[in-house]
């Protein structure tokens, strides 16, 4: 029986559990030696394929690969890079196929969000056009939780848990000091167009914390917002504000827009928290502190959700099993069966129905006043943050694995695209 190598790459912003998906891919591939020879990984994501900078994961021990389940960030390196040239018949997509041919790669596992789903879909199309078969399977990953056709995305549950826990703890701090000190705490979370992460802040309301959430899906009306904050401070003595980086003014402009864009044309965001904090101070005079969760929220493996970690592994595992079964241009998905008890199964979606499509917060997940979440949203969120999946600790710090990441010898000329 003929067999070929597999190529795995991590894409975009990393998460606390993306390496769990890598673990699922590699461990499962190692069980299918009748079909898969070696698993190569792209050093720094898809850029590694363009530069023929491939990592031979067969040099890693079973113990180190298993340790990926508890290690945050991208063990092989990730990148934000939009491939070019497919439509005009050349460029980076064809370079990708050239590298795959040179290294006998027949399986492509791309671990990322919406943009990587699009790349994976195009690779499957181009391979057919060029007559070199590649089974392209997308492994879902995004803290933004905005991929369609899957109940949730690996990475989100852990971010939601981190935001809920950290904001709860900080709110208790403010509550204890509000009489003579800080009355307002503002935390900025990620989420360009979808407010899933910000929604996790709504879980605090069950702990007696007055919370105001600013969603990307709800336009920011300053007078209405200030009235809500003021009412909370008058009633409770303090107020916590969770603002998504994608919060927008009524004219559509991002509150946190910096005026620059990334490789995919997305506006660089960051800075909504101080803007909101100063709006409150200038209008109401309340003392404030603000924080930006930034990388902390997506790197916090020490407080990862067990549900999230398990699903991340299972989807990596499922990606390989789908490829072995002959599927192409698909993505394994989470299909929720019930909320209580929480049950789900692994499904499958066609990449043509996933690529470049964003899933937003449903209207019935957002409270009527636009500043909180509904019970339906809580029922959705709660299972995703359940359980702890602590790494091993030594000398007070978590023990994370650092792989050897030994390169595969190059066979091609340097890419000049």
């Amino acid at each position: 029986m003929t067999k070929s190598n597999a190529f795995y790459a991590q894409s975009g912003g990393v998460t606390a559990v993306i390496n769990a998906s890598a673990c699922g891919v590699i461990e499962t591939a190692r069980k299918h030696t009748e079909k898969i020879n070696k698993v190569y990984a792209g050093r720094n994501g898809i850029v590694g394929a363009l530069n023929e900078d491939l990592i031979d994961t067969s040099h890693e021990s079973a113990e180190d690969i298993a340790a990926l389940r508890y290690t945050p960030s991208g063990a092989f390196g990730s990148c934000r890079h939009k491939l070019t040239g497919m439509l005009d018949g050349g460029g980076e997509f064809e370079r990708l196929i050239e590298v795959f041919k040179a290294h006998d790669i027949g399986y492509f596992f791309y671990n990322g969000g919406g943009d990587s789903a699009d790349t994976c879909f195009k690779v499957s199309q181009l391979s057919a056009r060029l007559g070199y078969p590649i089974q392209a399977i997308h492994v879902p990953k995004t803290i933004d939780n905005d991929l369609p056709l899957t109940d949730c995305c690996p990475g989100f549950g852990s971010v939601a848990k981190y935001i809920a826990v950290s904001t709860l703890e900080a709110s208790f701090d403010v509550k204890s000091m509000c009489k003579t000190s800080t009355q307002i705490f503002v935390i900025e979370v990620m989420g360009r167009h979808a407010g899933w992460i910000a929604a996790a802040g709504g879980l605090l309301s069950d702990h007696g914390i007055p919370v105001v959430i600013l969603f990307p899906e709800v336009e920011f009306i300053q007078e209405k917002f200030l009235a809500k904050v003021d009412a909370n401070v008058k009633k409770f003595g303090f107020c916590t504000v969770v603002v998504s980086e994608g919060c927008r003014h009524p004219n559509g402009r991002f509150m946190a827009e910096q005026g620059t864009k990334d490789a995919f044309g997305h506006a660089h965001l960051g800075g909504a928290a101080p803007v909101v904090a100063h709006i409150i101070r200038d209008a109401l005079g309340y003392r404030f502190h603000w924080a930006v969760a930034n990388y902390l929220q997506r790197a916090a493996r020490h407080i990862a959700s067990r549900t999230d970690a398990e699903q991340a592994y299972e989807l990596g595992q499922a990606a390989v099993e789908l490829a072995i079964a002959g599927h192409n241009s698909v993505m394994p998905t989470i299909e929720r069966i019930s909320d209580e008890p929480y049950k789900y199964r692994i499904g499958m979606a066609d990449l043509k129905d996933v690529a470049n499509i964003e899933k937003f917060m449903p209207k019935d997940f957002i409270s009527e006043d636009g500043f909180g979440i509904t019970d339906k949203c809580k029922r959705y969120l709660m299972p995703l943050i359940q359980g702890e999946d602590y790494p091993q600790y030594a000398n007070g710090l978590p023990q994370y694995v650092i792989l050897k990441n030994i390169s595969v010898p190059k066979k091609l000329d340097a890419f000049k695209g």
Side-chain angles (χ1 to χ4, degrees), residues 15-18 140-146 151-166 196-197 199-201 203 297-301 303-312 315 334 336 342 359 380-389:
T15 80
V17 298
I18 188 173
K141 170 245 52 163
T142 172
I143 64 169
D144 293 329
N145 201 40
D146 59 356
D151 178 72
C152 57
C153 303
F156 169 69
S158 293
V159 166
K161 188 179 185 76
Y162 175 85
I163 293 302
V165 170
S166 299
W196 295 103
I197 300 176
L203 298 175
Q297 66 197 304
R298 73 186 198 196
R301 185 59 186 79
I303 192 64
S305 154
R306 178 178 289 277
T307 298
D308 192 31
E310 290 176 349
Q311 291 181 342
L315 288 172
I334 299 293
R336 186 179 297 220
Y342 179 54
K359 178 179 69 178
Y380 170 80
L381 290 173
M382 287 303 294
L384 305 183
I385 69 169
Q386 293 304 307
E388 289 68 54
D389 195 45

Side-chain angles (χ1 to χ4, degrees), residues 329-365:
S329 192
V330 297
M331 179 185 82
T333 61
I334 299 293
E335 296 180 355
R336 186 179 297 220
I337 299 171
S338 65
D339 296 328
E340 298 178 18
Y342 179 54
K343 293 182 181 180
Y344 66 91
R345 60 176 169 247
I346 304 299
M348 182 181 73
D350 290 330
L351 285 184
K352 63 179 175 59
D353 300 321
V354 175
N356 295 316
I357 299 173
E358 289 181 288
K359 178 179 69 178
F360 304 108
M361 286 274 293
K363 289 184 178 180
D364 60 1
F365 275 26

Side-chain angles (χ1 to χ4, degrees), residues 218-219 221-229 368-371:
V218 180
E219 68 178 26
I221 306 298
Q222 184 165 314
E223 295 76 12
K224 184 180 176 183
F225 166 70
L226 288 171
K228 181 72 172 180
V229 171
E368 190 173 344
D369 66 3
F371 294 126

Side-chain angles (χ1 to χ4, degrees), residues 63-233:
E63 292 76 16
D64 282 353
I65 293 300
L68 287 175
R69 289 191 69 156
Y70 302 94
T71 299
S73 190
F76 307 106
S78 186
C79 68
R80 297 189 189 278
H81 182 80
K82 187 176 180 66
L83 293 180
T84 61
M86 182 175 178
L87 296 179
D88 59 18
E92 294 178 340
F93 276 97
E94 287 202 7
R95 168 65 174 186
L96 209 62
I97 302 299
E98 183 182 30
V99 171
F100 288 172
K101 282 183 180 180
H103 293 275
D104 190 27
I105 293 169
Y107 304 94
F108 175 36
F109 302 106
Y110 203 18
N111 200 173
D115 290 319
S116 61
D118 179 61
T119 296
C120 204
F121 175 57
K122 288 176 178 175
V123 166
S124 69
Q125 291 181 307
L126 185 61
S127 69
R129 187 186 307 169
L130 297 179
Y132 181 75
I134 290 286
Q135 285 176 251
I137 312 293
H138 182 244
V139 186
K141 170 245 52 163
T142 172
I143 64 169
D144 293 329
N145 201 40
D146 59 356
L147 286 173
L149 304 182
T150 184
D151 178 72
C152 57
C153 303
F156 169 69
S158 293
V159 166
K161 188 179 185 76
Y162 175 85
I163 293 302
V165 170
S166 299
T167 307
L168 177 63
E169 292 173 338
S171 297
F172 268 86
D173 184 309
V174 175
K175 180 181 180 181
S176 68
M177 299 291 292
C178 65
K179 188 68 174 178
T180 60
S181 184
T182 304
Q183 298 151 299
I184 302 293
F185 175 63
V186 181
I187 182 167
E188 178 180 336
V189 303
M190 290 180 176
R192 179 180 301 274
H193 298 125
W196 295 103
I197 300 176
L203 298 175
L204 275 62
S205 62
D206 292 336
H207 295 263
I209 305 298
V211 180
V212 176
I213 305 173
L214 297 178
F215 297 99
E217 292 90 346
V218 180
E219 68 178 26
F220 178 72
I221 306 298
Q222 184 165 314
E223 295 76 12
K224 184 180 176 183
F225 166 70
L226 288 171
K228 181 72 172 180
V229 171
D230 194 34
N232 279 342
V233 176

